[in-house]
Amino acid sequence: MSSSFSQGMVVTIICEAVLQERLIKLLQGLTVCGYTIIPAQGEGSHGKRMGDMAGYNTNIEVKTIGTPAIYDILLEKLKQFHASYALIAFQQKVEGLFD
Amino acid sequence: MSSSFSQGMVVTIICEAVLQERLIKLLQGLTVCGYTIIPAQGEGSHGKRMGDMAGYNTNIEVKTIGTPAIYDILLEKLKQFHASYALIAFQQKVEGLFD
Amino acid sequence: MSSSFSQGMVVTIICEAVLQERLIKLLQGLTVCGYTIIPAQGEGSHGKRMGDMAGYNTNIEVKTIGTPAIYDILLEKLKQFHASYALIAFQQKVEGLFD
């Protein structure tokens, strides 16, 4: 591929919507360059959650992109929520336009 | 990366919303640990679909995460829908917090 | 993995919703086989954008899948928007059911 694209990591977090404000504070504290939030519905080991518009009992999908170093820290910090809430998170190497 | 994270596969399915219940039954039958559904709009070789709120003529994006073995089976089973409906599916290796 | 699955690239574009029509024209001009659009909210170096339903001041996440050759061209063409609008884009290798 072209060397004119940036290399980075994208982290995807899927969790209960009730965690949204705490995740935003966490991301801002890590000085990531940005994040995207999409409402979702789903089912997991913590039960079924329908993505209704009122924000009650829903899930969100949060995506953020940056350096591997920051995201190892982010995933470590997410372990506190993973223990008590419906939350999964995963990271993938990507290349593209960002910074 | 840290060895304290799980290794897995994420499968993303983008398809007509009319398939939602059949996909959920399929995922539950494979005993995946969970799935996430997001309403979408789009256009493909099967025509344009607007993501309206009434659930008519829309697409969905379904994500599920787990082991490579289960997802080879899942992709095989999705071939039946791929033949008759607007459906694409793809899998990617990820690492993170899940299970 | 099974050799019966296609190999391809998925490109994810996250940007201001105001770019939607221009992105669709760009994708249609590249004859990609399809695309998916999901409304989103987020925050980046260009400021915070809430994903309200009226399509005002929102973000979108656009996904499209195809060959690496087309997507190097797509990312090059996206640079014009990246300079003036809140837009990130990244590509990842995937395998699955598509085309």
Side-chain angles (χ1 to χ4, degrees):
Chain A
M1 292 169 204
S2 170
S3 60
S4 65
F5 301 131
S6 304
Q7 310 293 317
M9 300 289 283
V10 60
V11 173
T12 304
I13 306 162
I14 299 171
C15 67
E16 300 177 50
V18 71
L19 294 176
Q20 180 166 328
E21 289 310 313
R22 276 174 278 183
L23 286 181
I24 290 175
K25 281 210 184 77
L26 177 57
L27 293 170
Q28 289 170 337
L30 289 171
T31 61
V32 302
C33 65
Y35 60 82
T36 299
I37 300 177
I38 294 172
Q41 63 184 76
E43 190 175 359
S45 53
H46 291 249
K48 184 181 280 200
R49 283 162 210 284
M50 305 307 295
D52 60 75
M53 288 294 105
Y56 171 71
N57 211 21
T58 61
N59 283 345
I60 51 171
E61 182 188 279
V62 182
K63 276 200 200 79
T64 180
I65 198 162
T67 65
I70 279 181
Y71 290 129
D72 273 1
I73 298 171
L74 174 59
L75 284 188
E76 283 297 334
K77 286 183 180 289
L78 289 175
K79 284 183 178 173
Q80 61 179 304
F81 301 122
H82 184 57
S84 313
Y85 294 93
L87 178 145
I88 64 164
F90 52 89
Q91 56 187 0
Q92 298 165 281
K93 275 187 209 169
V94 295
E95 70 161 27
L97 300 175
F98 39 83
D99 49 44
Chain B
M1 291 170 206
S2 170
S3 61
S4 65
F5 302 131
S6 304
Q7 309 294 317
M9 300 289 284
V10 60
V11 174
T12 304
I13 306 162
I14 299 172
C15 68
E16 298 177 53
V18 71
L19 294 176
Q20 181 167 327
E21 289 310 312
R22 277 174 277 182
L23 285 181
I24 290 174
K25 281 210 181 80
L26 177 56
L27 292 170
Q28 288 170 337
L30 289 171
T31 61
V32 302
C33 64
Y35 59 84
T36 299
I37 301 177
I38 294 172
Q41 63 185 76
E43 189 174 359
S45 52
H46 290 249
K48 185 180 280 199
R49 285 163 208 284
M50 304 309 295
D52 60 75
M53 289 294 103
Y56 172 70
N57 210 22
T58 61
N59 283 345
I60 51 172
E61 183 188 279
V62 182
K63 277 201 200 77
T64 180
I65 197 162
T67 65
I70 279 181
Y71 290 128
D72 272 1
I73 298 171
L74 174 58
L75 284 188
E76 283 297 334
K77 285 184 181 289
L78 289 175
K79 284 183 179 173
Q80 61 178 306
F81 301 121
H82 184 58
S84 313
Y85 294 92
L87 178 145
I88 63 164
F90 51 89
Q91 56 187 1
Q92 298 164 280
K93 275 187 210 169
V94 293
E95 72 160 24
L97 301 175
F98 40 82
D99 60 41
Chain C
M1 290 170 206
S2 170
S3 59
S4 64
F5 302 131
S6 305
Q7 309 294 316
M9 300 291 282
V10 60
V11 174
T12 304
I13 306 161
I14 299 172
C15 67
E16 300 177 51
V18 70
L19 293 176
Q20 181 167 329
E21 289 310 313
R22 277 174 277 183
L23 285 180
I24 290 175
K25 280 209 182 80
L26 177 56
L27 293 170
Q28 288 169 338
L30 289 171
T31 62
V32 303
C33 65
Y35 59 83
T36 300
I37 300 177
I38 293 172
Q41 63 185 78
E43 188 175 0
S45 52
H46 291 249
K48 185 181 279 200
R49 286 163 207 285
M50 305 307 296
D52 60 74
M53 288 294 104
Y56 171 70
N57 210 21
T58 60
N59 283 346
I60 51 171
E61 182 187 280
V62 181
K63 277 200 199 79
T64 180
I65 198 163
T67 65
I70 280 181
Y71 290 129
D72 272 1
I73 298 171
L74 174 59
L75 284 188
E76 284 296 336
K77 285 183 181 289
L78 290 174
K79 285 183 179 174
Q80 60 178 305
F81 301 122
H82 184 57
S84 313
Y85 294 92
L87 178 144
I88 63 164
F90 51 88
Q91 56 188 0
Q92 299 164 280
K93 275 187 209 169
V94 294
E95 72 161 23
L97 301 174
F98 38 83
D99 58 42

